[in-house]
Amino acid sequence: QVQLVESGGGLVQPGGSLRLSCAASETIFVINSMGWYRQAPGKERELVADITITSGSGTNYGERVKGRFTISRDNAKNTVYLQMNSLKPEDTGAYYCEAVVSDPLGGFVNEYWGRGTQVTVSS
């Protein structure tokens, strides 16, 4: 099992910034990618950003956050960060960390989720 622990959520005014962190537990699995998804009440979960872990640092961003959010990683700590700037009220929601892993022996791929951290953008 891989455990993901998110931190950094909170209350911020419109135009402000927050940085989220997601730390993965020690694991024998290979983490292929990590990312962030968010969900507001009554809405579907959507991709915020993800980043390749195994090689390179390829990134992918949702259209609603592109240009404002930046995802980065620290492979030595199995940690991914999400820097959120120019926050808008529409960014409010529960943010969930996600990791896609594979077995170095068997080659299977699996997905794990954190419990989420709340981000509220309001004046």
Side-chain angles (χ1 to χ4, degrees):
Q1 184 68 251
V2 177
Q3 294 182 333
L4 303 174
V5 180
E6 304 104 327
S7 63
L11 175 65
V12 65
Q13 294 183 355
S17 299
L18 283 174
R19 186 179 69 175
L20 305 183
S21 299
C22 175
S25 62
E26 183 179 357
T27 178
I28 64 171
F29 299 111
V30 175
I31 302 177
N32 298 305
S33 65
M34 296 180 67
W36 291 93
Y37 290 72
R38 69 185 183 186
Q39 186 171 22
K43 300 182 67 176
E44 295 183 355
R45 185 175 297 184
E46 65 175 337
L47 171 71
V48 178
D50 60 24
I51 187 168
T52 301
I53 302 297
T54 53
S55 62
S57 59
T59 58
N60 186 40
Y61 293 92
E63 291 185 4
R64 296 173 64 188
V65 307
K66 188 175 182 179
R68 298 187 296 119
F69 292 8
T70 303
I71 190 169
S72 60
R73 56 166 166 80
D74 184 342
N75 286 3
K77 297 181 178 180
N78 282 351
T79 299
V80 67
Y81 306 94
L82 182 68
Q83 179 67 45
M84 304 185 293
N85 298 326
S86 301
L87 283 162
K88 305 175 181 179
E90 293 184 349
D91 295 318
T92 295
Y95 283 66
Y96 298 91
C97 182
E98 174 246 22
V100 176
V101 306
S102 61
D103 189 328
L105 298 178
F108 74 88
V109 177
N110 210 345
E111 185 179 43
Y112 295 89
W113 294 90
R115 294 181 178 180
T117 184
Q118 180 68 33
V119 172
T120 302
V121 184
S122 177
S123 60

